[in-house]
Amino acid sequence: MVQSPLNRIVHRTVLDNGLVILFVENPAADIIACRMFIRAGTLKEPPGFSGLAHLLAAVITKGTDTLTSLEIAEKVESVGASLGADTAADYFLFSLKTVSADFPDLLDLAGQLLRNPSFPEAEVELERRLTLRSIRSQQEQPFAIAFDRLRQAMYLNHPYSFSSLGTEETVSQLTAEDLHNYHQTYFRPDNMVISLAGRLSPEEAVRLVEKSFGDWQNPPVLLPDLSLPFLTPQPQQILIEQETQQSIVILGYLAPSVRRGEAMNANPSDYAALKLLNTYLGNGLSSRLFVELREKRGLAYEVSALFPTRLEASQFAVYMGTAPENTTVAVNGLRAEVDRLCHTKLSDEELRRSKNKLLGQYALGKQTNAQLAQIFGWYEILGLGIEFDTVFIEEISAITPTLAIDAACRYLSEPYISIVGPASALSPLSLALCP
């Protein structure tokens, strides 16, 4: 049992089969939210099978040995519940939300879907066609093109190099047997976390989960070892010609994982420092990039920064949409703002505002049952433990101007640059980009 900073008591139980149960009691509303995490996701896709986890998420709710897709939909919709699956870089997620009275039946249904999906051929074919359509649609979106090419350059043959949708080549070849093999490999109780929040007692929550999942046995084989390539920064410029109304400019930097020191020779404080710098640079209308490049200089239609939480090496990126004639100025403007982080310490006031913004948004993201179930299950499946809820706040609070500038100098020096725009905007860039 762990108490979160907002006085939420998180109960943790491990069943005999290794399945982890997390539960937060919240009697304020008659709603129970459940998040079921599997250590899978795109990170665990075999080479040449990009998009496999996404396709599995699309069809896992479409049939079991005893239920058709229509019967499943009727069971969910008849009680006004929500049930669905999704995949992320580091995990697979099955979500459920319903009123308390219907929760036992819906949890049992979720157990059937997770344990015994049938992957009907017709449903697999339909979802494969829809996925291919989505991939082709992304190939027409300038930001998606620029970000996709940037990701491929940064991650090369690492699983993170691909969109969760996969590619036309890989998705076209995926079969129901591939889905079955992936499911049999990773969907097992000792590789799973079930996180719940709502109007239940801790004892009742464990009893219900045990009823639906307690007799699930692990296969006799161990989970496969994950062999990933070692990533080293090799910055490059990627220019993609497309007749667009605006140029998309993205600067990317390899950055540490959430494991804080276990990858890229990171210092333990680097993850928190970069989270804070990401907030300072690109979070909201008061962020440095928005104020300096959009409000003061009028360069940007949109401008922001991102630093996703990843188990393996992440990426710190800043991006902008700008008028084609401003492309070169925009690239140099973005670089100057990022480079500034390594040359000019944040003032005490800048640091204070950024911390308040980041921690305030973090607190607001833990209000609903769904948010509570999500964040505690997410930390557990990443191997951070539910205590990371407290650790993260402490690490952000402890960041000093010196720690922030040290992290910036360590990671944000030489960027990968990806630009999509018309030929007239790209032609001078090879000579005009900052050294």
Side-chain angles (χ1 to χ4, degrees), residues 42-61:
T42 56
L43 184 64
K44 304 295 178 68
E45 291 173 338
F49 287 80
S50 177
L52 179 58
H54 175 270
L55 185 59
L56 189 148
V59 299
I60 197 169
T61 60

Side-chain angles (χ1 to χ4, degrees), residues 349-368:
E349 179 60 20
E350 288 174 323
L351 198 67
R352 184 190 65 80
R353 287 201 306 265
S354 297
K355 288 181 179 181
N356 288 344
K357 181 191 292 188
L358 176 55
L359 294 178
Q361 292 174 344
Y362 183 70
L364 289 174
K366 297 184 291 183
Q367 300 299 304
T368 68

